[in-house]
Amino acid sequence: MEGSVFTPSLEGMKHIKSPEGEMLAKPYLEVCKLILPVIDKFGSAMTLVKSDVGGNISVRYLFPSWEKKYETDPTKYKYLYNMVKEEVECKTAMGSSSCTNGLLWLTRAMDFLVELFRNLLSHPDWTMIECCTDSYGKTLKKFHGWIASSSFTVAMKLAPDRKKFMEVISGSGDVNADMEKFCSTFPQFLEENHKFLANFSLDDMKA
């Protein structure tokens, strides 16, 4: 791996905003696609988390469903929120397979990862279980029902050894420096998503 696991996403974040400051759909989702595979580094024991970190099936279908819709009119769907606005107008935003629902849970999944990275940086003495459990409690837990929460709690106990995990995501780069850059830059995009979705009373949806 050239650089750390964060290297491609750090470059991609430079292109998320248009010159006018609007979120561009394709660059934003591409960055998420680059960073979400970090979950794969948890190993086979984390199947529950890898299959759906957001606790909702729409996360897994967001990328292909969005890409299919995007290709029908790249100009119309250039900006990240255009699909959401259209689905809200058509009253399809609440559907489990909607792009809106997918964006909501993708945002929450990224919230979880950002908090996990922050814990790894701030608490060098914590185990992965401690880092993951704390991150989950701050982000996804409040949106999960009992079954999803219980499954996630079990999965957290199967988290990999912290040292091995860090070695896997480090590659040839300075992983701590890259992780810090990611955590100081990407949350601004997540905050924009939350503010936008809150306008339609969507940010409180639960699994």
Side-chain angles (χ1 to χ4, degrees):
M1 184 195 308
E2 190 67 31
S4 74
V5 72
F6 296 94
T7 302
S9 60
L10 291 175
E11 178 60 33
M13 280 192 285
K14 299 175 183 177
H15 309 290
I16 287 178
K17 290 288 190 76
S18 71
E20 297 74 33
E22 293 191 65
M23 297 260 277
L24 298 172
K26 194 167 186 177
Y28 175 80
L29 293 174
E30 285 300 322
V31 167
C32 291
K33 286 172 75 173
L34 287 169
I35 207 67
L36 277 176
V38 167
I39 293 296
D40 291 330
K41 310 305 180 185
F42 278 71
S44 58
M46 295 293 281
T47 302
L48 285 171
V49 179
K50 288 196 302 179
S51 66
D52 194 359
V53 71
N56 190 293
I57 197 169
S58 58
V59 173
R60 281 176 277 170
Y61 292 126
L62 171 63
F63 298 117
S65 63
W66 174 84
E67 286 166 352
K68 183 177 180 180
K69 194 167 185 178
Y70 175 84
E71 291 302 327
T72 64
D73 195 334
T75 301
K76 180 180 180 181
Y77 301 122
K78 177 180 179 180
Y79 299 110
L80 183 62
Y81 303 140
N82 283 6
M83 286 187 192
V84 175
K85 292 175 181 177
E86 182 178 79
E87 289 180 343
V88 169
E89 289 175 3
C90 296
K91 302 188 184 305
T92 58
M94 304 295 278
S96 62
S97 59
S98 70
C99 291
T100 300
N101 202 32
L103 177 62
L104 174 65
W105 282 99
L106 174 62
T107 299
R108 292 172 177 174
M110 297 303 292
D111 282 336
F112 167 77
L113 285 178
V114 168
E115 284 301 321
L116 172 59
F117 301 147
R118 283 174 173 162
N119 280 341
L120 289 169
L121 289 167
S122 302
H123 303 284
D125 57 323
W126 282 13
T127 64
M128 280 297 289
I129 294 176
E130 291 174 306
C131 289
C132 290
T133 301
D134 182 78
S135 303
Y136 179 67
K138 290 177 179 176
T139 57
L140 293 169
K141 187 174 182 178
K142 60 187 174 184
F143 302 115
H144 280 176
W146 183 82
I147 294 177
S149 183
S150 297
S151 297
F152 212 97
T153 299
V154 171
M156 291 298 97
K157 294 178 181 179
L158 300 175
D161 175 76
R162 175 180 176 136
K163 184 178 179 181
K164 290 181 179 179
F165 178 76
M166 293 301 290
E167 287 176 353
V168 170
I169 68 173
S170 292
S172 62
D174 185 339
V175 69
N176 283 336
D178 287 351
M179 195 183 297
E180 189 169 356
K181 288 178 186 175
F182 184 85
C183 289
S184 64
T185 305
F186 195 74
Q188 64 177 299
F189 304 121
L190 297 177
E191 184 61 28
E192 282 193 41
N193 286 350
H194 285 301
K195 287 181 179 179
F196 176 78
L197 292 167
N199 290 326
F200 307 102
S201 300
L202 299 172
D203 210 25
D204 293 325
M205 285 176 62
K206 301 191 179 201

